[in-house]
């Protein structure tokens, strides 16, 4: 078992059993089509990683397949026990603004984590299930933002990777194994409720899937073992590039240059696009001629969000 997988499994053990999680790439991007509607419990995440080394997500046709996550994020909003929001402080002026919105007081002790960058941290707060607040961003300086994440968002949790500092970590003794998520301060709640409330349609809690219903491992394209890293790299490339003919072809050309057995990998990745047509990848693959594209092209796409 790799050290990265062991680290994720250890991190999952300290999370509350009812938290909904989504798999993420090394650059924090959630994986899978309509990921907001297909979360996993920490136990489901663990069981899949232990058995398959991967977790199930859906493609654009809602067909399940496996991805190998680099990390995981908490799906904010309503779950089976409460409504969770993540307060993302991005900059010194954002921290000062949060202090002001709480009535010139600090947040109560709560679950908190950070990438390690200065004045960068996230704090989890909860509301009863019968309440809801609207997600919003407040720009407090040219490069500082205070964000409140609710329905339809996710916040990457430790020990997931961070593209700049290397890894997320819990702040002090604020891991969920050591402290509880605090209720939102009243003054902050009043401020957030000044915005137009979220429609009633979105107030229902997330219903997590049956932990025993999994896709079969055959959903993963079979590639030579020494090329498994290609699957992982493709998972970090945004699905919008599968919608662009130019980018789709370029990625296919690059994959064939890496190894002629990567057709199934390209076909599986291409299924994220509504433009996908069965058999088209195989047809294009046959006509691909040698060229100068290298694996650097994949890394370039992976760096674009």
């Amino acid at each position: 078992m790799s050290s990265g997988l062991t680290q994720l499994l250890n991190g999952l053990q300290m999370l509350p059993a009812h938290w909904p999680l989504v798999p993420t790439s090394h650059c924090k991007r959630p994986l899978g089509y309509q990921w907001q509607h297909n979360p996993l419990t920490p136990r489901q995440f663990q069981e899949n990683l232990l058995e398959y080394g991967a977790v199930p997500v859906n493609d654009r046709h809602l067909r399940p397949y496996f991805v190998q996550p680099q990390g995981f994020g908490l799906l904010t909003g309503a779950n089976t026990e409460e409504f969770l929001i993540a307060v993302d402080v991005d900059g010194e002026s954002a921290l000062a603004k949060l202090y002001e919105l709480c009535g010139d007081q600090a947040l109560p002790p709560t679950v908190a984590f950070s990438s390690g960058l200065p004045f960068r941290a996230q704090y989890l707060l909860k509301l009863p299930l019968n309440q809801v607040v609207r997600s919003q961003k407040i720009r407090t300086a040219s490069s500082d933002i205070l964000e409140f994440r609710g329905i339809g968002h996710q916040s990457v949790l430790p020990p997931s990777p961070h593209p700049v500092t290397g890894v997320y970590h819990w702040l002090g003794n604020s891991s969920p194994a050591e402290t509880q998520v605090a209720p939102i301060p009243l003054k902050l709640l009043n401020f957030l409720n000044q915005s137009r409330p979220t429609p009633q349609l979105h107030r229902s809690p997330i219903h997590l899937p049956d932990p025993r219903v999994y896709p079969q491992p055959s959903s993963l394209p079979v590639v030579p073992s020494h090329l498994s890293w290609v699957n992982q790299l493709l998972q970090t490339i945004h699905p919008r590039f599968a919608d662009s003919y130019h980018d789709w072809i370029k990625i296919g050309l690059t994959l064939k240059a890496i190894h002629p057995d990567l057709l199934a990998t390209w076909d599986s990745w291409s299924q994220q696009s509504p433009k996908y047509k069965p058999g088209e990848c195989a047809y294009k693959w046959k006509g691909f001629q040698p060229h100068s594209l290298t694996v650097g092209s994949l890394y370039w796409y992976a760096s674009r969000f």
Side-chain angles (χ1 to χ4, degrees):
M1 184 180 298
S2 68
S3 59
L5 180 56
T6 300
Q7 192 175 27
L8 288 184
L9 289 169
N10 290 338
L12 288 163
Q13 289 181 354
M14 67 173 59
L15 302 183
H18 67 281
W19 277 13
L21 305 177
V22 294
T24 60
S25 70
H26 75 282
C27 55
K28 307 190 293 183
R29 184 172 66 84
L31 302 174
Y33 181 66
Q34 294 186 345
W35 53 267
Q36 299 95 330
H37 305 299
N38 299 285
L40 299 171
T41 64
R43 180 180 175 182
Q44 291 168 340
F45 220 108
Q46 284 179 302
E47 289 178 347
N48 276 277
L49 288 179
L50 286 170
E51 186 166 356
Y52 307 127
V55 297
V57 298
N58 286 339
D59 64 18
R60 284 186 177 270
H61 301 283
L62 302 182
R63 293 178 300 203
Y65 68 102
F66 273 85
V67 295
Q68 296 171 313
Q70 302 301 301
F72 47 79
L74 170 66
L75 185 61
T76 53
N79 56 55
T80 56
E81 294 192 12
E82 73 269 303
F83 187 100
L84 288 177
I85 67 168
V87 183
D88 188 357
V89 175
D90 192 358
E92 186 173 6
S93 65
L95 183 61
K97 182 64 175 180
L98 178 60
Y99 185 83
E100 173 193 328
L101 294 178
C102 291
D104 294 328
Q105 294 182 356
L107 286 176
T110 190
V111 175
F113 46 99
S114 173
S115 65
L117 293 171
F119 299 106
R120 305 298 199 270
Q122 293 189 51
Y123 304 88
L124 298 183
L125 299 171
K126 66 180 179 180
L127 293 77
L129 269 177
N130 61 353
Q131 297 186 39
V132 67
V133 294
R134 182 173 176 265
S135 302
Q136 58 180 288
K137 290 183 180 180
I138 304 172
R139 184 169 293 280
T140 55
S142 59
S143 59
D144 295 356
I145 294 177
L146 177 61
E147 181 178 3
F148 300 94
R149 295 178 183 161
I151 296 169
H153 293 269
Q154 62 94 18
S155 282
V156 179
L157 297 174
S160 302
H162 185 274
V164 176
T165 61
V167 69
Y168 282 92
H169 65 273
W170 301 109
L171 289 177
N173 297 322
S174 62
S175 77
E178 299 168 288
T179 190
Q180 294 184 344
V181 176
I184 187 171
L186 181 59
K187 288 185 179 295
L188 182 56
L189 176 61
N190 289 338
F191 167 78
L192 294 175
N193 279 337
Q194 291 173 6
S195 302
R196 181 173 57 85
T198 306
Q200 181 71 30
L201 176 65
H202 299 287
R203 292 175 183 256
S204 58
I206 297 164
H207 296 288
L208 296 167
D210 183 342
R212 300 185 185 280
V213 178
Y214 301 128
Q216 295 302 310
S218 59
S219 300
L220 279 173
V222 178
V223 299
S225 59
H226 69 285
L227 293 174
S228 60
W229 60 270
V230 177
N231 273 331
Q232 298 179 33
L233 183 56
L234 271 183
Q235 290 161 19
T236 69
I237 297 177
H238 198 283
R240 73 175 185 275
F241 292 116
D243 294 337
S244 164
Y245 181 81
H246 171 78
D247 296 316
W248 173 67
I249 288 292
K250 188 173 181 179
I251 288 171
L253 283 166
T254 304
L255 290 173
K256 188 168 185 179
I258 294 172
H259 199 282
D261 290 341
L262 289 175
L263 169 59
T265 298
W266 185 42
D267 188 89
S268 177
W269 178 81
S270 300
Q271 292 176 28
Q272 298 178 96
S273 172
K275 299 179 181 179
Y276 172 80
K277 296 178 182 178
E280 190 170 12
C281 287
Y283 175 78
K284 295 292 186 183
W285 192 268
K286 291 179 182 179
F288 286 163
Q289 301 299 319
H291 53 83
S292 60
L293 293 174
T294 69
V295 69
S297 297
L298 296 186
Y299 281 103
W300 184 88
Y301 280 111
S303 68
R304 266 53 184 176
F305 305 121

